[in-house]
Amino acid sequence: MKKNTINLIFNIFLITGCLYLFLVGINGMSEAFKGLGTGFAKHILSTTANPFLALFIGTFATVLFQSSSTTTAMIVSMVSGGALTLGGAIPMIMGANIGTTVTNTLVSIGHINRGNEFKRAFAAATIHDFFNMMTTAILFPVEYYFHLIEKAATLLGSILFGTITPDHVFHSPVKQAVKWGSNKIEFIAFDHSIIFLVFSIALTLFMLYSIVKILRGLVLSKVEIFFDKYIFKTAIRAMIFGLILTFMVQSSSITTSLIVPLAGSGVLTLIQIFPYTLGANIGTTATAIIAALTLNATALVAAFAHLLFNILGIMLIYPIPQIRKIPIFLAERLSEYSIKNRFVPIYYLLTIFIIIPLTIILIGEL
Amino acid sequence: MFKQIFELFKANSLYTQALKECYEMLDIDLLMYKFSTESLRRKETVEIPYNIYETDKKINEFERDVRRKIMTHLAISGTTDLGSGLVLVSVVIDIERIGDYTKNIYDMARNHPTKLIGGSIEEQIQLIEKKSTYIFENGIKAFKTQNIPLARELMEVYKKEVSSLCDEITHNIIAGKITDLSTDQGASLALYSRYLKRIAAHSRNLISSIVNPFERIGYPE
């Protein structure tokens, strides 16, 4: 057998193992939240009862993890464990969408000393920020007053599974195996809910990191030819490519960061990159859906809410040229200011991703 | 659309594509070289069955394509091919320059429609032509097969037999030491000698990438 084939088989086994342990971690978190009792749940529920606060918690948590997949996977496990309602989860998911854009913006800062290259790279990174902020600015008030995404996600869940309750648990051999693993973690944690929660979070984070790392190595060298001319010729192809690639590597941070140097060097233009990042937004929702499949119907509805939020955002902004131009205009304008004053990107990063979320969270906690 | 996507699945890595494009550029350069030198030195008319200008534009497009492919390859697939990628980006400039000099020779042929004759330095001119063609043709072979002994031999030929002779001819014409040449003949031969030297020098740069580390591409071993 060829060395490459052996490597491939080994990596597939490795990914399967990591995916299993990731699901064990998610399940463990859900169980640990239940074990923490009503006091803890009440505290989380009262904090996230304010959707505005929940939005910025989602943003800040994702900035810390540098991965919306991690945050949303944790959110669905909290929904499953009863520590978070669907209504509280949706603003957090919206916030996670904003927070995830920090990674590619940080990558673009690496080009800061190279004039026009930085201008192109920074615009390519911040177009994702502006699109996600704009989507949130439109859909957050709609959700606040009309619960549109919650209703749509619940409807989708009801069509697929009938009634949506936390008691509606999925049954499958995978679920049984995950439950078995989660029980073992609980045993190792001396049946102590806080230790169990810490172990489960650590396992989830480490396994998601490992999955992304292995998939990145496995997938990217095979797909580099798709970054050449053909795929980026039309918006729909670029969007589908962004979606599939993000699904394959389970991280929009990676797929959107990849194109930053290509944009910087002028290989890809801002117009070509834009639909690709939107595809990445949809592709990244897969992690939470996979995680929720081993939990319960409510968790899956929360994961669907993430998917619907991103699809709605694209439907509202991308098809109308005048609206579509807004994030492009904002990204270009900010990058123009940024090459005139090198502190602008630093101020922007600190303000949007640290100072505003942290200030609102701290005020909300008072 | 699906056919094109399927074709992409079967395609080589961008690095391999870029390398193949460099090979193709070299083959085109060689054709351009043969047609342009033939037009200048062996034909009484300027017409040749080859569009040098269109081909030169194609070479320029190839150069941009190679750069874009290497950039994308390095950005997506990491640093495994960093060294060889940078080498290609460097030598593609030499390959493009060879195309430019062959175009310059053809430009000269158009302005000197009759056969260019070397007068008293004809033998020296023929020797430079022979050696430059040898370095160029075999340089392509050495680059494609990564033949280190052949590359070393060609670098020696350039250093000992081409560079100094080309300079000698040009300097002698400028200094007025060659008296049997008309003005147009003298100017043309000085330029021709210079162009041949540049073609051989860029071929030397190309093959030095096989022998030398990255920072010494274009320099002696």
Side-chain angles (χ1 to χ4, degrees), chain A residues 154-222:
Chain A
T154 310
L155 179 70
L156 184 61
S158 327
I159 292 166
L160 293 172
F161 312 107
T163 49
I164 302 297
T165 62
D167 302 327
H168 188 142
V169 177
F170 302 121
H171 295 284
S172 69
V174 176
K175 167 85 183 172
Q176 294 299 320
V178 167
K179 181 81 185 155
W180 178 84
S182 159
N183 287 342
K184 295 289 169 225
I185 302 286
E186 193 173 11
F187 175 73
I188 295 166
F190 309 108
D191 287 330
H192 191 284
S193 294
I194 293 176
I195 300 173
F196 184 27
L197 181 65
V198 171
F199 280 8
S200 300
I201 290 173
L203 187 67
T204 305
L205 293 180
F206 184 63
M207 285 305 131
L208 189 57
Y209 170 79
S210 306
I211 290 168
V212 170
K213 202 171 164 63
I214 299 163
L215 285 174
R216 184 190 166 129
L218 208 60
V219 172
L220 291 185
S221 60
K222 307 283 185 299

Side-chain angles (χ1 to χ4, degrees), chain A residues 22 26 29 33 54-79 84 88-103 201 204-205 208 250 253 284 287-289 291 302-303 306:
Chain A
F22 166 71
I26 291 287
M29 272 197 279
F33 283 126
L55 176 77
F56 287 100
I57 291 173
T59 303
F60 192 64
T62 310
V63 169
L64 291 181
F65 293 128
Q66 301 237 334
S67 161
S68 64
S69 300
T70 307
T71 318
T72 50
M74 288 174 85
I75 290 169
V76 296
S77 73
M78 286 171 88
V79 171
L84 199 58
I90 292 170
M92 280 179 88
I93 287 168
M94 291 180 180
N97 246 37
I98 295 174
T100 196
T101 63
V102 75
T103 313
I201 290 173
T204 305
L205 293 180
L208 189 57
Q250 293 284 305
S253 298
T284 199
T287 315
I289 293 173
H306 190 199

Side-chain angles (χ1 to χ4, degrees), chain A residues 274-322:
Chain A
F274 190 23
Y276 167 86
T277 57
L278 305 187
N281 263 356
I282 298 178
T284 199
T285 62
T287 315
I289 293 173
I290 293 168
L293 281 171
T294 60
L295 300 169
N296 58 24
T298 320
L300 195 59
V301 168
F304 282 156
H306 190 199
L307 175 68
L308 289 174
F309 169 66
N310 281 317
I311 291 174
L312 269 175
I314 294 171
M315 285 166 67
L316 286 170
I317 296 171
Y318 200 77
I320 306 158
Q322 286 82 0

